[in-house]
Amino acid sequence: MKGEVVNVQKGMYHVRSEDGDFFRCLLRGNLLKLEREEKSILAVGDEVLFERLQKDQGIITAIEERRSSLVRKGAGKKGRHLEQVIAANIDQLLVVVAVKDPPYKKSLIERYITSARSSGLDVIIAFNKADLGFSERTIEDSKVYSELGYTVKFTSALTGTGIDELAGLLRKKSTVLTGISGVGKSSLVNALLNCDLAKTGEVSLSTHKGKHTTTSSSVYYLPGGGKLIDVPGTREFAVSDTEGLDEAFDDITELSRDCRFNDCTHTVEPGCAVLKAVEEGRLEKRRLRNYLRIKQYE
Ligand SMILES: Nc1nc2c(ncn2[C@@H]2O[C@H](COP(=O)(O)OP(=O)(O)OP(=O)(O)O)[C@@H](O)[C@H]2O)c(=O)[nH]1
Ligand SMILES: [Mg+2]
Ligand SMILES: [Zn+2]
């Protein structure tokens, strides 16, 4: 049978068959061996072939080639860098940040965009918890991303602000939600599905951090077609592929055309148009620093 992995938990894969039935599956021996060596060979969204064993149990025999994936770099054993596939066969990335509680970090948004563009994924950024109120500064921050061509929406999972508009952007697409713990990813899933399927948890009053409520990735099917993949919030997100860097930092790429040297590193060179833009306040120093930090991984 053919199916899609909809949930992954400690070596147990939940697979939804083409008929819409759910099966709890294990991996066949050869795949199991591969997994021990490489860790996560299967991710939510992967298409698989499986044999039905009994009732709702099965065994996965093959994994179809991925159309796309979102990958992050995790710390592996013995300092080895493991590539962790967060989700497979997706069209777009919904980056969720909160206007406050927890506060957003622009550098993290930029890393998400770089990863998404490296994999050819479209990007939507949701500034959630809009009901808590936000400053002019936040509006300015959001504008930077819309001017770069990414869709930005202010939403509230609590009051429903912006949810219909967001739903319109997700229809018939496969979308993965990312963002740190507590920003409201699962709450948005519930608001978009108009139900209470995804478990949500509070944000600590003292540290303003989420409590890692979602512990495994899950697929949710949208009523009008399309699906959402809710993933656990990660504290950090390291880019595994810098192919999308120049696109994610289109403004810096543009500026660098006017640098005196072709191989300008935008750090110390005379006649650097990027450094000049920083000096004149046309480019944020923090943004250049983040760009250079990601570029190190090339
Ligand atoms: N005021 C307000 N609170 C919200 C909103 N969305 C989510 N919250 C609250 O924020 C807290 C965290 O929400 P979750 O949906 O669990 O956050 P998450 O991003 O899924 O977090 P993890 O699963 O830990 O990664 C909960 O107390 C929610 O009620 C919103 O739009 N406005
Ligand atoms: Mg969650
Ligand atoms: Zn330069």
Side-chain angles (χ1 to χ4, degrees):
M1 294 169 76
K2 244 181 162 169
E4 176 190 17
V5 177
V6 293
N7 184 261
V8 178
Q9 275 183 60
K10 291 197 196 89
M12 175 69 78
Y13 299 93
H14 288 241
V15 176
R16 181 188 193 256
S17 72
E18 287 181 312
D19 297 333
D21 296 322
F22 293 88
F23 295 86
R24 298 188 311 148
C25 295
L26 295 171
L27 292 176
R28 170 169 279 177
N30 55 336
L31 294 175
L32 200 60
K33 190 161 159 274
L34 250 180
E35 189 186 58
R36 292 223 176 90
E37 287 159 6
E38 287 190 38
K39 211 169 164 200
S40 57
I41 57 163
L42 258 190
V44 160
D46 262 321
E47 281 160 17
V48 296
L49 297 179
F50 68 102
E51 275 166 24
R52 188 176 181 169
L53 293 180
Q54 48 169 312
K55 279 192 293 189
D56 64 341
Q57 287 174 25
I59 190 146
I60 295 170
T61 55
I63 306 166
E64 307 270 3
E65 207 175 312
R66 285 179 185 139
R67 178 159 60 76
S68 64
S69 59
L70 180 71
V71 184
R72 83 175 185 122
K73 205 148 67 182
K77 278 181 204 148
K78 297 173 195 154
R80 239 175 19 119
H81 279 304
L82 281 178
E83 305 233 309
Q84 190 193 355
V85 180
I86 295 178
N89 301 319
I90 42 183
D91 303 308
Q92 54 188 13
L93 180 64
L94 174 58
V95 178
V96 184
V97 297
V99 296
K100 61 171 75 129
D101 291 325
Y104 60 89
K105 290 209 181 81
K106 289 185 273 185
S107 300
L108 182 63
I109 299 176
E110 289 158 3
R111 286 201 294 278
Y112 283 136
I113 293 175
T114 303
S115 280
R117 293 312 302 153
S118 295
S119 313
L121 306 175
D122 289 332
V123 178
I124 302 167
I125 304 164
F127 281 78
N128 191 39
K129 307 200 186 185
D131 57 280
L132 295 179
F134 47 89
S135 62
E136 195 60 36
R137 176 82 174 268
T138 299
I139 300 175
E140 291 300 316
D141 286 343
S142 76
K143 273 191 191 148
V144 173
Y145 303 109
S146 46
E147 275 161 18
L148 283 165
Y150 306 106
T151 309
V152 178
K153 291 276 172 253
F154 280 79
T155 59
S156 169
L158 194 72
T159 65
T161 304
I163 298 299
D164 284 346
E165 264 182 86
L166 186 59
L169 298 169
L170 307 177
R171 197 162 295 135
K172 298 203 162 54
K173 297 268 173 66
S174 177
T175 308
V176 60
L177 290 86
T178 54
I180 59 168
S181 179
V183 291
K185 298 178 295 298
S186 300
S187 304
L188 281 173
V189 167
N190 287 339
L192 287 159
L193 291 164
N194 201 9
C195 71
D196 228 355
L197 274 177
K199 198 175 156 220
T200 63
E202 76 263 36
V203 172
S204 156
L205 285 174
S206 53
T207 64
H208 300 284
K209 280 184 181 159
K211 294 181 174 170
H212 295 279
T213 308
T214 305
T215 52
S216 68
S217 303
S218 296
V219 176
Y220 298 92
Y221 296 90
L222 289 164
K227 60 196 179 198
L228 294 177
I229 304 181
D230 185 21
V231 306
T234 52
R235 200 151 292 147
E236 261 313 315
F237 182 91
V239 171
S240 77
D241 185 345
T242 54
E243 213 177 297
L245 184 67
D246 286 347
E247 203 188 314
F249 291 85
D250 202 28
D251 46 349
I252 295 180
T253 312
E254 269 300 308
L255 286 167
S256 67
R257 300 216 167 96
D258 291 328
C259 292
R260 186 180 305 162
F261 303 108
N262 265 339
D263 58 351
C264 185
T265 62
H266 325 308
T267 50
V268 292
E269 291 85 349
C272 172
V274 177
L275 287 173
K276 187 161 167 245
V278 171
E279 238 165 66
E280 293 173 358
R282 286 179 284 124
L283 174 70
E284 218 186 335
K285 191 173 186 178
R286 180 210 55 78
R287 186 164 159 84
L288 173 60
R289 218 182 295 135
N290 194 37
Y291 168 85
L292 294 174
R293 197 178 305 143
I294 303 173
K295 203 170 172 63
Q296 284 174 7
Y297 297 110
E298 266 183 356

